[in-house]
Amino acid sequence: MRTFERTAIAAGQRVSVRVPATSANLGPGFDSLGLAVTLYDQVSVESTDDGVFSAEVAGEGSAELPRDESHLIIATIRDTLGRVGFESNGLRLEATNVIPHGRGLGSSAAAIVSAVLLANALLPAGDRLSAQEVLQLCSAQEGHPDNVAPALAGRLAISWETAGSFFSTAVDVHPDIIPIVAIPSYELSTETARNLLPVSVPHHVAAANAGRAALLVQALTRDPSLLLPATVDALHQSHRAPAMAPSADLMASLRAAGFASVVSGAGPTVMTLARGRQQADRIQEQIHAIVTASPTADGWRVLELEVDTDGAKVEMHRRN
């Protein structure tokens, strides 16, 4: 990473960013595959010189999130600036959160991507980070690139790590695929879900999962008829099921009905990948029938989304 003498960024700048929700893993693509979808957080920041760091927050999580410099986006903006030799003398943040928190749709990744992109836009033009440097910072902050990569680039992101560096490539998703998400009212932290995983798995399990992950790329990009067998997972979903029994039951019921249903990220949202309009309608009917017959029916939200093809978008506002 490049280093600079520490310099204050210019006051009076205003920058906005829109970042999509993401669904990681998609079944067998553990920590390596992620899909961007059309739910968006919107964040704006204005640089000041009054020494005040404040946040206005609306939407998801607004009742719990801090309004001062401890807000994740403000803290990450300042950290990002500091890493490249700059600092801020004040920030005013405005955030409208649409991505549900603690549901496996990449809310923390969206916050980190928002912060790094906003910080980068506040830097002088000649000192801004490259796309690869942005990916490194976001991935290091999040711990892995499977959510931040599709949030940055859109589409289906295939990500990997080599010698402590993160890499990703984005590919187009077949136009027939329609993501349907069933979002429960309860949350599940990524840390809790990850702690349920075994330390090691047998060689034959890893080999089976690698085959399904490879098949999933073909299913998502060229042949959606393969989605059901391609979304079979042997690494993480069964281990996490006890922590999200209603979601695991819903996923199992949908798969038994022939639909490509998976846990979104670490859960507890369930994502089902439909092949075309008719199947999307049938999936939503099936979800409603299952959850309304369940004692845990209250609080489920069912959304039909699209694959986001653009990734995060930054807008610089002119000074008055």
Side-chain angles (χ1 to χ4, degrees):
M1 188 66 64
R2 295 170 294 173
T3 59
F4 305 86
E5 293 184 6
R6 189 170 292 275
T7 304
I9 59 170
Q13 300 182 82
R14 185 172 174 82
V15 188
S16 298
V17 65
R18 186 187 80 162
V19 181
T22 51
S23 180
N25 303 328
L26 304 172
F30 184 69
D31 279 3
S32 58
L33 297 182
L35 186 70
V37 294
T38 52
L39 282 177
Y40 301 97
D41 281 356
Q42 304 261 2
V43 186
S44 297
V45 69
E46 182 178 356
S47 59
T48 68
D49 57 6
D50 58 8
V52 176
F53 297 87
S54 64
E56 295 182 12
V57 186
E60 296 282 342
S62 59
E64 297 84 25
L65 293 173
R67 266 53 175 183
D68 58 13
E69 66 272 11
S70 66
H71 189 286
L72 175 60
I73 295 180
I74 292 178
T76 306
I77 289 174
R78 298 179 73 186
D79 178 72
T80 302
L81 293 173
R83 286 174 181 268
V84 292
F86 285 80
E87 63 183 357
S88 171
N89 290 325
L91 294 170
R92 283 201 292 268
L93 184 81
E94 297 176 5
T96 301
N97 298 331
V98 175
I99 304 171
H101 290 193
R103 304 303 204 286
L105 287 169
S107 61
S108 65
I112 289 167
V113 167
S114 295
V116 174
L117 290 178
L118 289 169
N120 200 35
L122 291 170
L123 291 171
D127 295 312
R128 288 177 187 153
L129 303 169
S130 68
Q132 180 61 19
E133 288 174 316
V134 167
L135 176 65
Q136 296 308 304
L137 280 180
C138 292
S139 300
Q141 180 81 9
E142 179 74 353
H144 39 79
D146 56 347
N147 280 112
V148 300
L152 285 165
R155 304 182 287 166
L156 172 68
I158 305 168
S159 303
W160 66 99
E161 180 182 356
T162 301
S165 293
F166 302 98
F167 303 90
S168 184
T169 186
V171 295
D172 292 331
V173 175
H174 194 285
D176 287 352
I177 292 177
I178 301 173
I180 310 293
V181 292
I183 307 169
S185 58
Y186 65 94
E187 299 182 17
L188 178 64
S189 74
T190 300
E191 181 181 5
T192 298
R194 192 167 284 269
N195 286 340
L196 294 171
L197 301 179
V199 175
S200 62
V201 297
H203 183 275
H204 73 275
V205 173
N209 223 71
R212 300 297 176 133
L215 182 63
L216 182 54
V217 174
Q218 173 76 358
L220 287 168
T221 60
R222 301 190 65 177
D223 188 357
S225 70
L226 296 170
L227 279 170
L228 184 60
T231 48
V232 171
D233 164 69
L235 284 184
H236 67 103
Q237 292 183 154
S238 63
H239 299 290
R240 291 167 163 171
M244 47 178 156
S247 299
D249 291 345
L250 174 59
M251 182 190 73
S253 296
L254 290 167
R255 293 193 66 83
F259 302 124
S261 189
V262 298
V263 172
S264 180
T269 291
V270 174
M271 174 174 281
T272 308
L273 299 168
R275 293 185 288 117
R277 175 77 268 144
Q278 290 186 349
Q279 191 177 84
D281 291 339
R282 295 205 316 273
I283 288 169
Q284 291 178 76
E285 291 171 2
Q286 188 87 356
I287 293 173
H288 285 294
I290 294 169
V291 300
T292 54
S294 167
T296 58
D298 291 343
W300 285 90
R301 286 184 287 162
V302 181
L303 303 176
E304 178 181 313
L305 304 174
E306 299 176 6
V307 175
D308 171 85
T309 57
D310 297 322
K313 291 292 184 183
V314 179
E315 181 181 1
M316 303 284 295
H317 302 278
R318 293 182 179 180
R319 300 185 189 183
N320 294 328

